[in-house]
Amino acid sequence: MKRNNMRKHVNAEAPSLALTEEYKLHTLANGIRIAHKQVPYTQIAHVGIMLDIGSRDEQPHQQGLAHFWEHMAFKGTEKRSSYHIINRLENVGGELNAYTTKEKICFHASVLDDHFDKALDLLADIAFHSVFPDKQIERERNVIIEEMSMYNDSPEDAIQDDFDQLVFANHALGNNILGTPETVNSFGREELFQFINENLDTEQIVVSSVSRLPFSKVIRIAEKYLGNIPHKKTTRIRQAPGIYSPIIQEKERSITQAQCAMGQPAYALADDKRLPFFMLVNLLGGPGMNSRFNLSLREKYGFVYSIEANYTPYLDTGFLGIFFGTEQKQLARSISLINKELKRIREIPLTTSQLHQTKVQLMGQLAMSEESNMSFMLMMAKSLLDTGRVDSLPEIFTEIQAITSEQLQTIAQEMFNPENFSYLTFIPE
């Protein structure tokens, strides 16, 4: 299944800003929560099972095991072969997929709402009743090692993984979600079942859906396929990263363009500074073509094709990363231009007009994200697991409107000091 752990591609890794006017929540006797938003204007049902388990929960010898589980879940259950799993929804025009992140595993499907029952049946089966056939394990090792090669051959992706290791040195948050060839080659059925047993907590599982189906019907179907899952609590304790020290590292690679990553740890999920910091990162290097980094490095100087800044909050820390590629001769100048923008935002407060425009742009982007029912379904599940609630659009807008220029400047001075940044560059051999 798709990897979906790259910050630049993953809505599920946004700062849990799930938006809704209405959602309903029901908790099964075993602790599994059912979240549903009813929308009248669609025939498509999106449903997912999200577990609060990810690559950060692996021990060193288990590196890559969460992602391996995600793959193996599709290879056979107590009542279905891999062939029947693949065809169950494809035969009715539906889609079945999954992804693994640092803190989550999610299995999800999209189907015509007439087949919602069939979709949730299958998702519950692969999430809780997979048997991990030995022959399929041997086969899937090769698939994942090929996946590693694919990402390693893409310097834009590889530098993000390597930069995680730099910023979160000697901590599971820094490990590659895919694992290593050595660890992946060591996994068997016993390791998979042990990992699940150590980490599964039914009170940290959310079934999220968006469709025109009434909530009462969604609950009935959820009870049918998930009500008999035994209640389970984990004794797992997530360890926070240690003290951070900036690191500067350069690597030679068989590439034609230099790649650069720069950044540091950032605010955790529960930090009050999370939303204003997200606004600042969006202003500097968000998806808009009018981001300050893009206007400078691409539009004014033509040094880059793309540049992005990403903020990913975790349970007990966060991550700020700035990524770009350029000709090697322009690398030092590009870093200098980025640092110039960081200095500018630290030293010069946003004017009333700039602050207003920054708020309007962010609110528009967040509102537009609600147009994708599948993305919303995934954000709703993540928000409930991360914060225990799903904030409404007006609530988020009220928080954004309350942010002041002084707040932003204080945060900028705290977070945008290049002396605290780690730097990783890939240089052509």
Side-chain angles (χ1 to χ4, degrees):
M1 296 292 110
K2 68 180 179 181
R3 184 185 182 199
N4 209 5
N5 71 304
M6 291 303 169
R7 281 168 289 273
K8 62 185 176 183
H9 300 310
V10 183
N11 287 331
E13 286 287 16
S16 294
L17 298 176
L19 312 172
T20 185
E21 302 305 321
E22 266 179 64
Y23 79 98
K24 294 184 178 179
L25 188 64
H26 174 77
T27 304
L28 303 180
N30 53 22
I32 296 175
R33 284 170 285 176
I34 314 300
H36 178 65
K37 180 179 180 181
Q38 186 176 14
V39 290
Y41 51 81
T42 180
Q43 292 181 285
I44 304 300
H46 303 282
V47 58
I49 298 178
M50 189 174 290
L51 304 92
D52 196 40
I53 303 171
S55 63
R56 73 167 298 173
D57 302 309
E58 300 161 348
Q59 300 301 315
H61 67 282
Q62 297 175 322
Q63 188 179 338
L65 195 48
H67 176 258
F68 200 86
W69 170 19
E70 174 219 313
H71 272 241
M72 286 304 305
F74 294 81
K75 302 306 176 183
T77 69
E78 295 166 6
K79 64 180 182 180
R80 290 185 175 96
S81 68
S82 59
Y83 174 84
H84 290 105
I85 290 170
I86 290 170
N87 283 284
R88 180 72 170 164
L89 299 185
E90 296 282 347
N91 283 345
V92 294
E95 295 180 354
L96 176 67
N97 221 319
Y99 63 84
T100 305
T101 70
K102 304 285 185 177
E103 294 185 333
K104 304 286 184 287
I105 294 176
C106 183
F107 305 100
H108 61 97
S110 299
V111 292
L112 285 170
D113 53 24
D114 289 344
H115 304 295
F116 180 87
D117 184 293
K118 186 177 290 187
L120 192 50
D121 174 21
L122 183 61
L123 290 172
D125 199 25
I126 63 177
F128 300 106
H129 303 292
S130 292
V131 294
F132 313 126
D134 288 327
K135 288 184 179 179
Q136 294 280 10
I137 286 177
E138 295 305 319
R139 221 173 271 149
E140 207 60 24
R141 294 189 209 282
N142 295 328
V143 172
I144 292 174
I145 289 172
E146 288 300 316
E147 189 177 359
M148 291 179 193
S149 298
M150 180 183 72
Y151 280 97
N152 286 332
D153 285 344
S154 170
E156 298 90 345
D157 292 331
I159 198 168
Q160 294 197 24
D161 285 328
D162 287 6
F163 193 57
D164 281 346
Q165 295 174 16
L166 210 65
V167 173
F168 296 114
N170 303 313
H171 189 274
L173 281 173
N175 291 342
N176 191 318
I177 289 172
L178 300 181
T180 69
E182 293 74 23
T183 56
V184 169
N185 278 320
S186 74
F187 299 150
R189 296 179 76 242
E190 183 178 339
E191 285 75 20
L192 285 161
F193 284 121
Q194 181 182 353
F195 181 73
I196 294 169
N197 185 59
E198 290 170 348
N199 291 283
L200 188 68
D201 185 335
T202 51
E203 294 181 19
Q204 294 300 316
I205 297 172
V206 170
V207 177
S208 178
S209 73
V210 176
S211 72
R212 65 178 178 179
L213 298 177
F215 187 46
S216 58
K217 183 172 183 178
V218 172
I219 292 175
R220 285 199 306 273
I221 296 172
E223 288 277 9
K224 179 180 176 182
Y225 296 116
L226 296 156
N228 62 351
I229 303 296
H231 176 267
K232 188 177 185 306
K233 284 289 292 178
T234 182
T235 57
R236 176 193 74 192
I237 299 176
R238 283 175 166 163
Q239 300 295 325
I243 297 173
Y244 164 75
S245 297
I247 299 174
I248 299 175
Q249 192 173 102
E250 182 179 293
K251 297 181 179 181
E252 288 190 352
R253 295 285 296 264
S254 298
I255 52 179
T256 58
Q257 182 188 53
Q259 296 288 327
C260 181
M262 48 196 292
Q264 65 176 56
Y267 303 116
L269 277 162
D271 199 302
D272 290 341
K273 298 176 183 177
R274 179 176 60 91
L275 183 57
F277 184 58
F278 182 59
M279 179 187 291
L280 277 176
V281 174
N282 193 62
L283 170 66
L284 285 170
M289 293 294 288
N290 65 340
S291 73
R292 289 191 175 184
F293 290 159
N294 192 73
L295 289 175
S296 175
L297 276 78
R298 174 172 171 153
E299 297 302 324
K300 186 174 181 179
Y301 290 97
F303 284 173
V304 303
Y305 174 72
S306 67
I307 180 169
E308 58 184 292
N310 294 305
Y311 164 46
T312 306
Y314 298 118
L315 173 70
D316 42 22
T317 186
F319 175 89
L320 165 67
I322 301 167
F323 303 94
F324 67 93
T326 189
E327 294 295 321
Q328 185 175 353
K329 63 184 179 182
Q330 297 162 174
L331 179 59
R333 177 66 172 140
S334 296
I335 293 173
S336 176
L337 289 170
I338 291 170
N339 288 337
K340 180 180 178 181
E341 291 299 333
L342 295 176
K343 181 180 180 181
R344 177 182 162 205
I345 206 165
R346 289 197 313 270
E347 296 182 354
I348 305 174
L350 296 184
T351 65
T352 301
S353 175
Q354 289 171 333
L355 179 63
H356 173 73
Q357 183 57 49
T358 301
K359 291 178 178 180
V360 169
Q361 182 171 13
L362 180 59
M363 290 189 291
Q365 290 171 347
L366 294 175
M368 287 179 66
S369 71
E370 193 175 1
E371 291 292 310
S372 168
N373 287 335
M374 185 177 76
S375 294
F376 177 81
M377 177 271 293
L378 297 173
M379 286 193 291
M380 182 162 60
K382 184 176 186 298
S383 186
L384 284 166
L385 288 173
D386 286 340
T387 67
R389 57 172 291 163
V390 183
D391 293 327
S392 70
L393 194 60
E395 286 172 329
I396 293 291
F397 283 6
T398 298
E399 285 187 57
I400 290 173
Q401 293 287 18
I403 294 171
T404 66
S405 182
E406 291 76 18
Q407 274 182 288
L408 294 176
Q409 187 176 17
T410 298
I411 292 171
Q413 291 169 349
E414 184 175 325
M415 292 301 301
F416 294 144
N417 183 353
E419 292 183 2
N420 295 330
F421 278 14
S422 290
Y423 294 82
L424 174 63
T425 53
F426 287 175
I427 302 298
E429 292 177 340

